[in-house]
Amino acid sequence: MAADERAMLLWTPELLSYDFGPGHPMSPLRLRLTMELVSAFGLLDRLDVVAPEPVDDATLRLVHEQEYIDHVRAEDAGDPPSRWGLGGPDNPVFAHMHEASARIVGGTVAATRAVWRGEKVRAVNPAGGMHHAMARSASGFCVYNDVAVGIAAALAEGAERVLYVDVDAHHGDGVERAFWDDPRVLTISVHQTGQSVFPGTGYAQDAGGPRARGFAVNVALPPRTADAAWLRTIEAIVEPLAQEWRPQLVVSQHGADAHGRDPITDLDISVDAQRAAALMVCDLAERFAEGRWVATGGGGYDLVSTVPRAWTHLVAVVAGAPIDPGSPTPPAWLEYVGDLLGRDGPATMTEGRPATFRPWEEGYDPEDPVDRAILATRRSVFPEHGLDPLVR
Ligand SMILES: [Zn+2]
């Protein structure tokens, strides 16, 4: 059966009920403003919009333990509260927490199944990307790991090579952990070094378990890494591995918190580079995975200026209709922002950055801290895939 021409967007306003409450950085406002902007650009007409339902416990158990699921459902932080990661400032318990969290998983599972089965060529779940959640605990604002469950659902249907690319500012530790010793999933996380930011993990030498050496890939970038170095990193790591391994499905997490304005991280990435990263992943999927691509959101705490633009660009790329960075933001959206927040939204879809970079094949500088990080990762994992760390 031919895949539907239109890509899939997983969305329902019910996803806004994933809400840790006033003052918490992960405000549902970011999704609300994103979807208003997506709509104002007319993208909803170009996408097959599907409202996800919460998944059942059996699906969650592909990754999570029933005992943990029971605590989430009971809205019970446990005793002591830290044991399940529930309660406390990062992951406070909220009403209908299970349903809201399981609905996010429902979106990513529907996306991965549709793309894996060939019903859709691409899909995007902006509410997804809860990459920190562990089998038996919440972590870093993430209750259930929609990405890991989505990938596991594809594996359960016979997938043998799933490439996961995570460009959130934080290490994609929960997804990595879920497939640490599983050579069917190659996880790549490009993030700010754990020396200076949560969760403190994800170093070059962390390369996977004994049966899957080289299948966990981590680049730990120094604080204040900017566009050109960030894009160069993604290209220098992801491109050769994808070319060599030929994934059947690409799943990517586009947390927008690598942005220079993000209040909880220290990278210096622009909306223009985030758009470029989405295009790079799309292109990789086209060349090496027959186009099969599932994209999710993730972190992102600069709620008005960054996240809506970064993810609207992402949704547009998935829709096959990338937005010109120079486009003005639609007046209807600016009005919405003004009415809701009493402030001005960004006037254009660009920050005027070129989003260009010098590719690795043109050489590297051992004195440069980003090049050193790239090289450490390539040395750690490339030989496991028969690739030379020093050359393409
Ligand atoms: Zn993050």
Side-chain angles (χ1 to χ4, degrees), residues 131-132 168-171 253 255-258 264-265 298-301:
H131 62 167
H132 296 305
D168 190 284
H170 301 98
H171 175 217
Q253 198 270 21
D257 48 9
I264 69 169
T265 65
Y301 310 99

Side-chain angles (χ1 to χ4, degrees), residues 13 19 52 66 107 173 199 214 268 316 389:
D19 185 355
Q66 186 66 48
D173 56 345
D268 190 18

Side-chain angles (χ1 to χ4, degrees), residues 117-331:
R117 290 170 185 173
E119 296 159 8
K120 294 284 174 190
V121 69
R122 292 186 297 271
V124 57
N125 181 16
M130 300 292 135
H131 62 167
H132 296 305
M134 296 290 176
R136 51 187 291 116
S137 69
S139 178
F141 319 156
C142 304
V143 177
Y144 295 138
N145 198 317
D146 61 292
V147 187
V149 177
I151 292 171
L155 298 179
E157 295 193 5
E160 292 174 336
R161 293 186 309 283
V162 181
L163 173 64
Y164 173 66
V165 179
D166 185 323
V167 298
D168 190 284
H170 301 98
H171 175 217
D173 56 345
V175 184
E176 178 181 282
R177 183 81 63 86
F179 306 108
W180 178 251
D181 203 21
D182 188 338
R184 295 174 299 173
V185 184
L186 176 56
T187 64
I188 303 178
S189 179
V190 175
H191 48 262
Q192 180 179 341
T193 175
Q195 285 176 326
S196 53
V197 79
F198 177 91
T201 51
Y203 295 96
Q205 68 270 21
D206 305 325
R211 293 187 305 126
R213 197 77 71 201
F215 286 87
V217 181
N218 287 292
V219 191
L221 293 170
R224 285 172 290 287
T225 297
D227 287 2
W230 188 70
L231 291 169
R232 170 179 167 84
T233 303
I234 297 169
E235 195 260 359
I237 300 295
V238 183
E239 164 92 22
L241 289 168
Q243 184 169 14
E244 172 62 26
W245 198 52
R246 304 273 163 174
Q248 298 164 307
L249 170 66
V250 177
V251 178
S252 56
Q253 198 270 21
H254 296 260
D257 48 9
H259 195 280
R261 264 191 311 272
D262 195 90
I264 69 169
T265 65
D266 313 295
L267 297 177
D268 190 18
I269 308 309
S270 71
V271 166
D272 300 277
Q274 291 171 328
R275 173 183 179 275
L279 284 166
M280 277 169 73
V281 175
C282 183
D283 180 58
L284 284 165
E286 291 286 338
R287 284 183 294 139
F288 305 126
E290 295 173 5
R292 285 190 289 264
W293 177 32
V294 173
T296 71
Y301 310 99
D302 181 43
L303 308 177
V304 181
S305 187
T306 300
V307 179
R309 287 191 291 173
W311 290 354
T312 297
H313 277 307
L314 174 67
V315 169
V317 172
V318 171
I323 295 167
D324 187 300
S327 306
T329 43

